[in-house]
Amino acid sequence: MNENKKAAQGKKTRHILKMLLLIVLFFCFIFPFILVVINVFKVKADITSNPLALVGAHGFTMKNFPEAMKKMNFWRAFGNSALVTTSSTVLTILLASMTSYVIVRNKWKATGLLFGLMIASMVIPFQVLMIPLVSLYGGVLGILNHRATLIFMHVGFSLSMATFMFHGAIKTNVPLSLEEAAIIDGCTRWQTYWKIVFPLLKSTIATVAIIDAMGFWNDYLLPSLVLARKELYTIPIATQVFYGTYSTDIGLVMAALLLAMLPILILYLFLQRYIVEGVTSGAVK
């Protein structure tokens, strides 16, 4: 009886220690975000002198938000980011899901080779391709400084991972018997896909949407290479106006960062329950 009691106490102690460790790690992870929220309501002098104080010596201020929005032309940058992110995400989901469906349901050598090449392309770092990419699209084709070009590149770079995720989901979670029944009832292959297969991929669609949308929205490197005109800037590039050669207005930077993260944070909160289900979809039978 004593041994069982000691074992139960030891288990409880280990559980408490694990929880304390997780809480510490959580605060370490979220601490930068807390700093942004605290300092966005201070003037520059208070941020520099005491960034950890909840309220600065000059009190609480909301001036950073309108000044940041005006200086970075927030609504134009927001519109550019929304257009690029939405278009790229929708195209990625449509193309990847249809490509995966063709690969799973057709045992051709060409489809197996295509899938293998797509998986292999995932290990190639973007930094290896960025200089040839800019040289080709800018120097040879001359199609940089267009939102369509950026959307095309985003879709190209994200398609392999999305196809890999949809491939596992279709192979595991979409029974072939459902498609056969639909075809017997008179559906074409196209109707079968849209009415039977695509609705069953809801969790994977949500997962791909949040992962890709976060990547597209927060991406700085690729848009900075493609877009040079200020009227085409997305939010991450527009924030660079706050960084000067000799000084940086930290309050405006933090206001801009908070404004930039809010839309994608709201999207994540709405779709987060699908993420684990979508990522593990296709992992086990």
Side-chain angles (χ1 to χ4, degrees):
M1 192 72 179
N2 290 332
E3 291 180 0
N4 292 335
K5 189 175 182 181
K6 288 181 179 179
Q9 288 178 345
K11 187 176 181 181
K12 186 177 181 180
T13 302
R14 287 193 297 271
H15 178 72
I16 292 172
L17 290 174
K18 287 179 182 178
M19 291 302 297
L20 289 174
L21 178 61
L22 289 173
I23 291 170
V24 171
L25 291 174
F26 171 75
F27 277 107
C28 289
F29 179 79
I30 205 172
F31 184 68
F33 178 75
I34 294 173
L35 275 182
V36 171
V37 175
I38 290 174
N39 289 295
V40 77
F41 301 106
K42 300 178 187 175
V43 298
K44 182 180 178 181
D46 292 338
I47 297 173
T48 306
S49 61
N50 192 359
L52 296 178
L54 292 177
V55 180
H58 294 83
F60 185 88
T61 179
M62 292 288 292
K63 290 182 179 179
N64 289 329
F65 288 102
E67 289 183 21
M69 293 176 70
K70 182 179 179 181
K71 193 170 183 180
M72 69 185 290
N73 205 333
F74 176 79
W75 291 114
R76 185 176 64 189
F78 180 87
N80 291 333
S81 287
L83 176 63
V84 169
T85 300
T86 304
S87 302
S88 301
T89 303
V90 170
L91 286 174
T92 299
I93 289 171
L94 294 178
L95 293 176
S97 60
M98 288 189 285
T99 302
S100 303
Y101 179 66
V102 172
I103 292 172
V104 171
R105 293 298 184 239
N106 297 283
K107 305 300 180 182
W108 304 330
K109 289 184 178 180
T111 57
L113 178 62
L114 174 64
F115 187 61
L117 290 173
M118 295 183 79
I119 297 302
S121 69
M122 291 165 58
V123 304
I124 302 175
F126 170 73
Q127 289 78 5
V128 175
L129 302 173
M130 65 182 187
I131 295 177
L133 199 69
V134 173
S135 300
L136 175 64
Y137 283 90
V140 179
L141 301 178
I143 56 174
L144 295 182
N145 285 317
H146 294 284
R147 284 182 288 258
T149 304
L150 180 60
I151 292 170
F152 172 75
M153 290 184 179
H154 273 320
V155 173
F157 283 115
S158 62
L159 200 58
S160 295
M161 174 60 84
T163 300
F164 174 73
M165 294 181 68
F166 277 114
H167 181 277
I170 293 173
K171 193 172 184 179
T172 305
N173 298 333
V174 183
L176 185 60
S177 57
L178 286 178
E179 299 176 39
E180 292 173 346
I183 292 172
I184 292 173
D185 287 339
C187 288
T188 63
R189 198 67 179 267
W190 184 255
Q191 291 173 327
T192 301
Y193 173 75
W194 286 112
K195 294 182 178 180
I196 304 297
V197 178
F198 195 74
L200 294 175
L201 300 175
K202 181 175 65 174
S203 60
T204 306
I205 291 170
T207 304
V208 172
I210 189 62
I211 291 174
D212 284 344
M214 288 177 67
F216 300 150
W217 185 271
N218 295 321
D219 189 21
Y220 176 85
L221 183 56
L222 184 57
S224 67
L225 295 172
V226 176
L227 307 175
R229 300 204 309 267
K230 287 187 176 182
E231 60 269 22
L232 299 178
Y233 279 2
T234 56
I235 287 181
I237 309 178
T239 57
Q240 70 184 3
V241 300
F242 303 114
Y243 297 93
T245 305
Y246 302 104
S247 65
T248 300
D249 196 328
I250 303 175
L252 297 185
V253 171
M254 292 189 176
L257 292 176
L258 192 60
L259 289 169
M261 73 173 71
L262 282 178
I264 205 68
L265 184 62
I266 293 170
L267 177 66
Y268 175 79
L269 292 175
F270 274 107
L271 299 180
Q272 64 170 333
R273 65 192 183 95
Y274 295 107
I275 291 180
V276 174
E277 183 184 348
V279 169
T280 57
S281 177
V284 292
K285 277 198 172 186

